[in-house]
Amino acid sequence: MAESVDLPIRLAILPFRNKVLLPGAIIRIRCTSPSSVKLVEQELWQREEKGLIGILPVRDSAEAASTPSPGVQTSKNQEETSDSHKLNGKNQPEVIHWHNRGVAARALHLSRGVEKPSGRVTYIVVLEGLCRFSVQELTTRGTYYTARIIPLDMTKSDMDQVEQDPEFVMLSRQFKAMAMELISVLEQKQKTGGRTKVLLETVPVHKLADIFVASFEISFEEQLSMLDSVDLKVRLLKATELVDRHLQSIRVAEKITQKVEGQLSKSQKEFLLRQQMRAIKEELGDNDDEDDDVATLERKMKAAGMPPNIWKHAQRELRRLKKMQPQQPGYNSSHVYLDLLADLPWQKASEEHELDLKAAKDHLDSDHYGLVKIKHRIIEYLAVRKLKPDARGPVLCFVGPPGVGKTSLASSIATALGRKFVRISLGGVKDEADIRGHRRTYIGSMPGRLIDGLKRVGVCNPVMLLDEIDKTGSDVRGDPASALLEVLDPEQNKTFNDHYLNVPYDLSKVIFVATANRVQPVPPPLLDRMEVIELPGYTPEEKLNIAMRHLIPRVLDQHGLNFDFLQIPEAMVKLVIQRYTREAGVRNLERNLAAIARAAAVRVAEREHAIPLSKDVQQIASPLLESRLADGADVEMEIIPMGVNNHDISQALRITSPLVVDEAMLEKVLGPPRYDDRETADRIATPGISVGLVWTAFGGEVQFVEATAMVGKGDLHLTGQLGDVIKESAQIAMTWVRARATQLKLATAEETNLLEGRDIHIHFPAGAIPKDGPSAGVTLVTALVSLFSQRKVRTDTAMTGEMTLRGSVLPVGGIKDKVLAAHQYGIKRVILPERNLKDLAEVPSAVLSSLEILLAKQMEDVLEQAFEGGCPWRQHSKL
């Protein structure tokens, strides 16, 4: 134990980062930095008698900045005195935040490590805290610090005087009692209280306070507070509080431990009682298992109608479950697995009524307008099912833009067959486990979407829609499209193996229907297993009929209206189609009609107000009614009894003339028109611009191509987020025009190089939309010829077609969608490749009658039709 010691006036200082050494405590320090090693060698190692050094607490820079305290600050450029105080590899000076009080320490043991090849030496120092001191001045000695100090311990006479103080005596007794209680608790837990009791009886109480507190895990601020407690009564009071807090934490920990052990013993007790109860019931023959979950599951499994091989597997799993306790980790997963086996429809099927093809055709006609070819193919499919119910027909895949009725067609097939319908969304699926399920070894495993859909629908022969099959992706977790190969193959799906189910399941009774926006993303092996039926976009006439027959009644019903409140004439629907929507489907059309219905709902709700005055008299008050009466309009009014509900009131209070949508209301509700017929004419106002037709996942679109020339070095610049194919088409077009510059009279015989001294820039507007494909070849050539000849392309003409290097015009796809797009834009003439003539059979006759279709075999044919007065080779033009 530390005895009183005479301190020198100056001590070497070793910084102690974020820790405090208290008198009586013993610490072990490993010194590796040059400054700390130098201090140990000069102050401790080279002296015969172990010397004294000062241990001074040091704060972190960030902590000191947030929590300022009185102390000594200094800055130095050399390394710090301990490894804990290095500069983290930086050479800039660091501000050290010293505390103004420390503890003198005596070295009890020194050991020197083996010198490393780099010359570094490590010292292990064991120090014992002796007494507190206050720093008066801090200076450097070589690479470490020294300080002029003043001891803070009391003299013997002062100590004797304090010990006579009644308050100090009371605090000492209280501290010793608390310390003894703590020692007793620790002795019961660790059997190490004998030596501590000896210290309690022999060491002065003011030193015991430091010793006890040094053994606790307390914060740095509390350690500094204890170090600063020079007054003995304050020191004892703080030590008593810390001992009491430590004692309370031990008691709380013991209470929690006892509670946990009690719960474990309770679970064991319940297990024994449950086993005894089961044995008693078996002896009495009163084995009532109505509430037994396992027995209920077993009855459910027997009623599921599993095939024999799967029933054996389920029985084996059930026997395993019966041997387990509910508390075991695998009990719940096994129970959920058997629940799934019992819930799956192994034999249960929808009762199919006899197919009536006429009724099915009428149902398709009532639900879908147009789509004659698609409905005819569905009727063929149903006819085969009627003649041979177990026939393995092809998997139909409806491909078309959004909003053309792909999903509703699949639902109509299910209704015609009398089967249940289930939809499986595959958009964004990238994990093969979404199709095949997760293996049961994983936590949180679950079956795939197909098995889960069959569980939800409850029959083994539903019509299952695989929606957005072109939106699946692949990554490190597998390829869902590859997993679908087994699902859609009639020869393989009889024994479909879901990883979670781990038994074969027969999917051959399921009728699969798929939908997609595009065919290109679907892998060829998967596409080979399906029959692709394309659903092109609707014509404006078809959209008008769909709106009048289906959309308007549905929108009115969704908004609580009917035709007595709101009427939308055909002429207004045509304006909505022409000015506010340009899409292949009808979703935007339905949104615009819904906006009109919402505006009408506000007016109808505002006009219906009834204010009852007495039991027999009612008065109708409405500014709208008053204005109608002032104008002499007919108003239907009746007396409404008080017991009538709000719906009857709204039906009774009705103005004879409903709200009729006009052009002014359209512009007020939907805003200014988004499209007009003058767009093409306005944009083709100068030479160098042509109109092309392209196909997208949303249907056909009109694409403008702009070309311009400027002074340069003969470079070709392409902009508009173009893909590799369309860039190559631009290079081919430029090469073809340059090769025929003289023939087209775009340049004289002496000026054969069109690019001499100038650059050409070709831009595809709508630069935020990616573009690719070969069908813009003839459009690019037309724009370049227009630029070099300084003649404008006809504003009523659009074109599409791929061009070869020799000028041949090759056929392209999406002809129906492109022609419909030209019709919607108000274009009158369409130039198509000659070999696409057969594709015009799919275009409605009403659209063809309003367009002039021009067929081209060579690029010269395109140029002859694209310019007013024929191809510009008939006159010489110079840019």
Side-chain angles (χ1 to χ4, degrees):
M1 200 64 245
E3 64 275 9
S4 60
V5 62
D6 294 329
L7 294 180
I9 298 176
R10 184 172 291 277
L11 279 178
I13 300 299
L14 183 65
F16 206 20
R17 176 175 289 275
N18 293 334
K19 291 184 180 180
V20 176
L21 173 65
L22 293 175
I26 298 176
I27 60 171
R28 180 174 177 270
I29 298 177
R30 183 169 179 265
C31 302
T32 58
S33 65
S35 57
S36 59
V37 168
K38 195 69 173 177
L39 184 147
V40 171
E41 288 179 346
Q42 292 187 4
E43 300 293 335
L44 301 177
W45 185 262
Q46 296 178 3
R47 300 194 178 187
E48 296 180 359
E49 296 181 359
K50 299 299 185 289
L52 299 177
I53 62 173
I55 304 297
L56 204 59
V58 174
R59 290 178 181 271
D60 280 330
S61 297
E63 182 179 343
S66 60
T67 310
S69 63
V72 182
Q73 296 189 5
T74 186
S75 176
K76 68 170 187 172
N77 295 329
Q78 61 273 19
E79 295 184 21
E80 301 306 329
T81 54
S82 69
D83 284 350
S84 63
H85 217 280
K86 287 183 180 179
L87 293 178
N88 298 324
K90 298 178 181 179
N91 296 322
Q92 66 270 23
E94 181 184 14
V95 177
I96 305 175
H97 301 271
W98 304 90
H99 195 64
N100 59 353
R101 290 180 181 175
V103 173
R106 176 176 58 191
L108 299 181
H109 178 73
L110 284 174
S111 62
R112 187 175 188 271
V114 178
E115 185 174 351
K116 295 182 179 179
S118 61
R120 295 184 59 183
V121 180
T122 301
Y123 284 93
I124 305 297
V125 185
V126 179
L127 299 173
E128 179 189 18
L130 298 179
C131 60
R132 293 172 172 80
F133 63 81
S134 176
V135 177
Q136 296 298 309
E137 180 187 358
L138 191 65
T139 57
T140 57
R141 178 185 297 170
T143 60
Y144 58 90
Y145 287 97
T146 62
R148 185 163 58 85
I149 64 170
I150 296 177
L152 296 178
D153 282 2
M154 292 185 178
T155 61
K156 191 173 185 309
S157 59
D158 294 336
M159 184 65 68
D160 294 338
Q161 184 178 356
V162 171
E163 288 176 351
Q164 303 300 323
D165 188 355
E167 185 180 357
F168 178 82
V169 174
M170 182 190 67
L171 288 172
S172 300
R173 291 175 181 174
Q174 186 180 0
F175 173 79
K176 283 190 175 183
M178 195 72 67
M180 183 61 72
E181 187 176 358
L182 177 62
I183 292 171
S184 301
V185 172
L186 294 175
E187 187 176 12
Q188 294 176 2
K189 293 174 63 66
Q190 303 174 358
K191 309 297 182 184
T192 58
R195 183 180 176 186
T196 311
K197 284 184 178 180
V198 174
L199 292 175
L200 195 60
E201 295 172 357
T202 58
V203 177
V205 67
H206 63 279
K207 293 185 177 181
L208 274 176
D210 289 329
I211 295 173
F212 267 79
V213 172
S215 63
F216 298 158
E217 292 184 2
I218 59 178
S219 66
F220 181 59
E221 297 297 331
E222 290 175 327
Q223 294 178 24
L224 289 178
S225 177
M226 195 66 187
L227 177 63
D228 294 336
S229 300
V230 179
D231 187 88
L232 295 182
K233 290 186 287 186
V234 175
R235 190 187 309 170
L236 277 177
L237 185 61
K238 290 183 178 180
T240 304
E241 291 176 356
L242 291 172
V243 171
D244 181 61
R245 189 175 72 184
H246 191 65
L247 185 60
Q248 294 300 327
S249 65
I250 292 176
R251 287 174 177 170
V252 170
E254 286 181 346
K255 187 176 181 181
I256 295 174
T257 303
Q258 292 174 0
K259 188 174 182 180
V260 172
E261 291 175 353
Q263 289 177 349
L264 291 176
S265 61
K266 182 180 179 181
S267 301
Q268 294 171 354
K269 181 180 178 181
E270 289 177 354
F271 169 74
L272 292 175
L273 290 175
R274 193 176 291 109
Q275 294 294 330
Q276 292 174 1
M277 187 180 298
R278 184 176 297 177
I280 291 172
K281 285 185 177 181
E282 289 178 357
E283 290 294 329
L284 294 176
D286 186 20
N287 191 11
D288 185 9
D289 56 2
E290 286 296 323
D291 298 327
D292 191 348
D293 195 29
V294 177
T296 303
L297 178 61
E298 186 173 7
R299 289 195 299 272
K300 188 178 175 183
M301 291 169 58
K302 290 179 180 178
M306 302 180 191
N309 59 328
I310 299 174
W311 173 244
K312 289 181 181 179
H313 171 79
Q315 281 184 315
R316 184 166 60 250
E317 192 71 24
L318 183 63
R319 287 194 297 268
R320 178 173 170 267
L321 180 68
K322 289 180 178 179
K323 296 178 183 179
M324 301 169 67
Q325 297 304 317
Q327 296 81 13
Q328 289 184 248
Y331 181 87
N332 187 53
S333 62
S334 295
H335 194 286
V336 171
Y337 174 69
L338 291 175
D339 248 338
L340 176 64
L341 289 178
D343 288 338
L344 281 177
W346 299 96
Q347 304 293 337
K348 184 179 178 182
S350 299
E351 296 183 5
E352 294 188 35
H353 51 74
E354 185 177 357
L355 272 174
D356 187 349
L357 294 182
K358 186 178 183 305
K361 187 176 184 302
D362 294 339
H363 179 73
L364 288 172
D365 289 336
S366 64
D367 285 352
H368 305 276
Y369 182 83
L371 305 177
V372 177
K373 183 179 178 181
I374 288 87
K375 288 189 287 188
H376 180 69
R377 178 63 187 89
I378 293 175
I379 293 298
E380 292 177 348
Y381 179 83
L382 297 177
V384 175
R385 301 289 304 188
K386 180 178 180 179
L387 298 177
K388 187 175 177 59
D390 57 345
R392 295 178 182 177
V395 177
L396 301 181
C397 179
F398 298 121
V399 178
V404 296
K406 300 184 294 296
T407 303
S408 57
L409 278 173
S411 179
S412 298
I413 293 175
T415 304
L417 290 172
R419 297 193 181 191
K420 290 188 176 182
F421 177 73
V422 59
R423 173 179 171 270
I424 307 296
S425 178
L426 299 179
V429 172
K430 294 185 178 181
D431 191 354
E432 182 188 358
D434 282 328
I435 306 299
R436 293 187 179 275
H438 302 81
R439 300 190 184 276
R440 291 174 56 205
T441 52
Y442 299 118
I443 296 175
S445 58
M446 60 183 67
R449 299 195 181 196
L450 302 179
I451 296 298
D452 183 66
L454 290 171
K455 176 187 173 183
R456 285 188 283 112
V457 79
V459 293
C460 63
N461 63 340
V463 174
M464 182 173 288
L465 174 64
L466 303 178
D467 205 8
E468 308 290 353
I469 199 170
D470 59 328
K471 303 297 190 303
T472 59
S474 61
D475 57 11
V476 294
R477 294 171 293 182
D479 184 7
S482 300
L484 286 172
L485 293 176
E486 179 186 0
V487 175
L488 301 181
D489 192 336
E491 299 298 331
Q492 300 181 37
N493 60 13
K494 292 185 294 184
T495 56
F496 173 69
N497 186 21
D498 184 275
H499 290 159
Y500 182 87
L501 209 59
N502 204 26
V503 291
Y505 190 90
D506 186 6
L507 294 177
S508 61
K509 300 176 183 178
V510 179
I511 295 179
F512 291 101
V513 180
T515 67
N517 293 131
R518 296 188 302 156
V519 176
Q520 288 79 6
V522 182
L526 182 60
L527 196 63
D528 183 61
R529 285 164 167 77
M530 300 184 293
E531 179 182 345
V532 176
I533 300 177
E534 294 187 356
L535 278 75
Y538 295 114
T539 65
E541 291 74 18
E542 290 173 336
K543 290 182 181 180
L544 177 62
N545 283 279
I546 292 171
M548 302 305 295
R549 295 187 183 187
H550 303 285
L551 299 184
I552 293 179
R554 183 166 65 196
V555 166
L556 293 179
D557 181 65
Q558 290 173 350
H559 293 81
L561 302 172
N562 54 41
F563 290 103
D564 296 328
F565 290 108
L566 175 66
Q567 290 184 3
I568 308 177
E570 284 192 13
M572 295 301 104
V573 178
K574 285 183 179 179
L575 285 180
V576 173
I577 295 172
Q578 294 171 2
R579 299 182 179 180
Y580 295 94
T581 62
R582 274 187 182 171
E583 56 171 347
V586 291
R587 284 183 182 165
N588 282 332
L589 176 59
E590 185 175 5
R591 292 189 188 101
N592 289 321
L593 294 175
I596 298 172
R598 288 195 298 271
V602 173
R603 298 192 183 185
V604 173
E606 288 177 347
R607 80 166 55 145
E608 297 179 355
H609 295 289
I611 306 176
L613 299 177
S614 65
K615 183 176 180 180
D616 299 323
V617 181
Q618 285 80 23
Q619 175 180 344
I620 301 176
S622 172
L624 185 57
L625 287 178
E626 293 173 2
S627 63
R628 289 295 181 101
L629 287 171
D631 297 337
D634 294 331
V635 180
E636 180 182 335
M637 303 172 63
E638 61 176 299
I639 304 300
I640 304 169
M642 291 296 292
V644 178
N645 58 31
N646 293 335
H647 179 70
D648 294 333
I649 294 175
S650 66
Q651 293 296 324
L653 297 172
R654 181 182 305 129
I655 296 178
T656 304
S657 58
L659 180 62
V660 180
V661 178
D662 55 12
E663 191 170 348
M665 182 178 176
L666 279 184
E667 190 162 347
K668 182 178 179 181
V669 175
L670 302 180
R674 299 189 184 96
Y675 311 103
D676 56 45
D677 295 337
R678 294 291 306 164
E679 181 181 359
T680 304
D682 293 341
R683 296 185 67 170
I684 309 181
T686 58
I689 303 176
S690 59
V691 185
L693 297 174
V694 297
W695 183 90
T696 69
F698 301 96
E701 290 287 343
V702 169
Q703 176 66 61
F704 293 90
V705 177
E706 301 176 352
T708 188
M710 56 201 160
V711 177
K713 300 179 181 179
D715 295 332
L716 177 63
H717 305 281
L718 302 171
T719 56
Q721 274 211 65
L722 307 181
D724 293 336
V725 177
I726 203 168
K727 288 180 180 178
E728 291 176 357
S729 297
Q731 295 286 351
I732 294 172
M734 191 70 232
T735 301
W736 188 88
V737 172
R738 292 177 65 188
R740 285 160 177 77
T742 305
Q743 179 184 349
L744 297 175
K745 296 187 177 180
L746 302 178
T748 61
E750 294 79 10
E751 300 175 347
T752 55
N753 187 5
L754 288 176
L755 297 182
E756 185 176 357
R758 58 191 172 210
D759 291 348
I760 303 299
H761 188 161
I762 299 177
H763 177 64
F764 285 70
I769 303 174
K771 308 170 189 68
D772 203 0
S775 60
V778 296
T779 314
L780 286 163
V781 172
T782 305
L784 290 172
V785 172
S786 173
L787 173 68
F788 291 125
S789 66
Q790 284 296 289
R791 294 186 59 193
K792 294 189 295 183
V793 179
R794 293 185 58 159
T795 59
D796 60 348
T797 303
M799 62 199 73
T800 184
E802 182 181 358
M803 192 199 72
T804 67
L805 197 59
R806 297 297 182 182
S808 300
V809 180
L810 301 182
V812 292
I815 292 298
K816 180 181 179 181
D817 291 321
K818 294 177 180 179
V819 172
L820 291 178
H823 178 63
Q824 288 182 355
Y825 269 77
I827 291 172
K828 303 302 181 183
R829 304 168 76 244
V830 177
I831 303 175
L832 298 177
E834 187 179 54
R835 291 166 61 183
N836 281 121
L837 178 62
K838 61 183 184 302
D839 298 315
L840 294 177
E842 300 179 0
V843 182
S845 57
V847 175
L848 286 178
S849 62
S850 63
L851 293 174
E852 182 183 358
I853 304 298
L854 307 168
L855 302 178
K857 187 175 182 180
Q858 293 292 325
M859 192 62 225
E860 289 82 357
D861 302 332
V862 176
L863 297 177
E864 186 71 23
Q865 302 293 341
F867 293 92
E868 191 75 43
C871 184
W873 61 51
R874 295 201 179 101
Q875 67 180 45
H876 176 67
S877 179
K878 183 177 180 182
L879 185 64

